[in-house]
Amino acid sequence: KVEEQARAFGAEIIYDEVTSITRSGEVFVVKTSSNVFYAEAVILAVGKKPRKMKVPGEEELKSRGISYCTICDAPLFKNKVVALTGIGPQAEEGVLILKDVAKRVYWIYPSRNPGVKKETLNLILEKNNVILKPNSKIVRVLGDGRVEGIIVRNLVDGSEETLTVSGVFVELGYIADTGFLKGLVKLNRKGEIVVDKYGRTSHPGIFAAGDVTDIRFKQAVISAG
Ligand SMILES: Cc1cc2nc3c(=O)[nH]c(=O)nc-3n(C[C@H](O)[C@H](O)[C@H](O)COP(=O)(O)OP(=O)(O)OC[C@H]3O[C@@H](n4cnc5c(N)ncnc54)[C@H](O)[C@@H]3O)c2cc1C
């Protein structure tokens, strides 16, 4: 519907990755991987990207058993053994979803405690199918074409164990991938674009909207507004 409406108002939609934006006199030069566009104003709405584990096997097995969105992909792992890495509300939500779908869930986090309320922890552990792995991190994802296992390191004693899993859910939060905008617009320490209440950035003629901005709440309705 949004796309239909945009086209009806004359928008031309091009699927490409913007690699740089520079100013040349009165116009902005927007370079993509295969083209160059010129514009009098630019709206940046590039969202955020999930934070990666940055471990061997991750790139190769991305979308082959590694998921960055538990709520989206959990149903694909019905009755399977899976692992989730992360801590905080997103990880908590993910484990709560997975415990009702998967056969077994290894919850791997670097701290001593999972950082959830006692009642929530009771709920998580009620089916006896969630195994807590505190003080731990995934150091390698194993598999030939699909995830088959992970190597988990205990951060206290350095020991490592191999777990057989067919899915790895990464809930390490989201990052603003705004390196290509450095020097063009003001970014905060999280790399988010600083905007005022009109969506104006520090660079006249460049606006920003959505998750990539420094607006605190990351919700679809706010991004659209
Ligand atoms: C699991 C999950 C559940 C959620 N549930 C809800 C919910 O129930 N209700 C709600 O309101 N919100 C929800 N949200 C939040 C909501 O999805 C976001 O707030 C919203 O999608 C942000 O919109 P956006 O346009 O800023 O960014 P995005 O939707 O992330 O879109 C950014 C787009 O820019 C593209 N892009 C990035 N870099 C470049 C580049 N250099 N060149 C060209 N294109 C680029 C990306 O590929 C992407 O298509 C949820 C988010 C997640 C992860």
Side-chain angles (χ1 to χ4, degrees), residues 16-18 45-47 69 71 174 180 210-211 218-221 223:
D16 209 343
E17 185 183 359
V18 174
V46 291
C69 180
I71 201 169
Y174 285 76
F180 73 108
D211 281 9
K218 310 296 177 188
Q219 291 281 282
V221 69
S223 314

Side-chain angles (χ1 to χ4, degrees), residues 14-74:
I14 296 151
Y15 293 95
D16 209 343
E17 185 183 359
V18 174
T19 51
S20 78
I21 301 172
T22 49
R23 180 138 207 165
S24 172
E26 289 298 294
V27 294
F28 293 105
V29 182
V30 180
K31 284 196 182 146
T32 69
S33 27
S34 58
N35 225 324
V36 181
F37 301 92
Y38 300 91
E40 285 170 19
V42 176
I43 302 173
L44 302 164
V46 291
K48 283 193 159 184
K49 291 188 177 152
R51 183 176 278 117
K52 302 263 177 83
M53 295 183 285
K54 294 190 181 150
V55 299
E58 183 172 23
E59 281 310 308
E60 300 86 312
L61 296 165
K62 200 168 58 181
S63 305
R64 293 166 181 267
I66 298 182
S67 166
Y68 299 91
C69 180
T70 310
I71 201 169
C72 318
D73 297 334

Side-chain angles (χ1 to χ4, degrees), residues 56-197:
E58 183 172 23
E59 281 310 308
E60 300 86 312
L61 296 165
K62 200 168 58 181
S63 305
R64 293 166 181 267
I66 298 182
S67 166
Y68 299 91
C69 180
T70 310
I71 201 169
C72 318
D73 297 334
L76 304 173
F77 293 83
K78 199 164 191 286
N79 295 325
K80 300 265 168 70
V81 179
V82 300
L84 181 143
T85 182
I87 194 158
Q90 244 173 264
E92 175 185 325
E93 192 189 351
V95 176
L96 281 167
I97 294 168
L98 286 171
K99 79 165 175 61
D100 290 330
V101 176
K103 185 169 151 194
R104 191 182 312 142
V105 185
Y106 294 104
W107 185 8
I108 297 152
Y109 46 89
S111 49
R112 210 169 127 227
N113 295 307
V116 297
K117 287 195 190 124
K118 200 168 167 238
E119 308 85 76
T120 313
L121 190 60
N122 289 341
L123 205 59
I124 285 171
L125 299 175
E126 71 179 355
K127 287 191 170 173
N128 289 322
N129 67 341
V130 177
I131 296 156
L132 305 181
K133 293 274 175 194
N135 302 313
S136 300
K137 69 177 284 202
I138 296 173
V139 290
R140 182 181 283 271
V141 185
L142 308 167
D144 186 10
R146 265 213 80 75
V147 170
E148 290 163 11
I150 47 174
I151 299 181
V152 177
R153 181 177 299 154
N154 183 303
L155 299 171
V156 176
D157 60 19
S159 62
E160 291 186 354
E161 64 176 323
T162 301
L163 301 174
T164 304
V165 297
S166 47
V168 178
F169 291 87
V170 183
E171 291 292 1
L172 298 175
Y174 285 76
I175 49 163
D177 194 7
T178 47
F180 73 108
L181 299 170
K182 256 186 204 151
L184 182 73
V185 292
K186 187 174 173 195
L187 306 174
N188 68 12
R189 61 181 178 81
K190 291 193 229 161
E192 296 167 337
I193 302 166
V194 177
V195 289
D196 68 10
K197 64 181 178 181

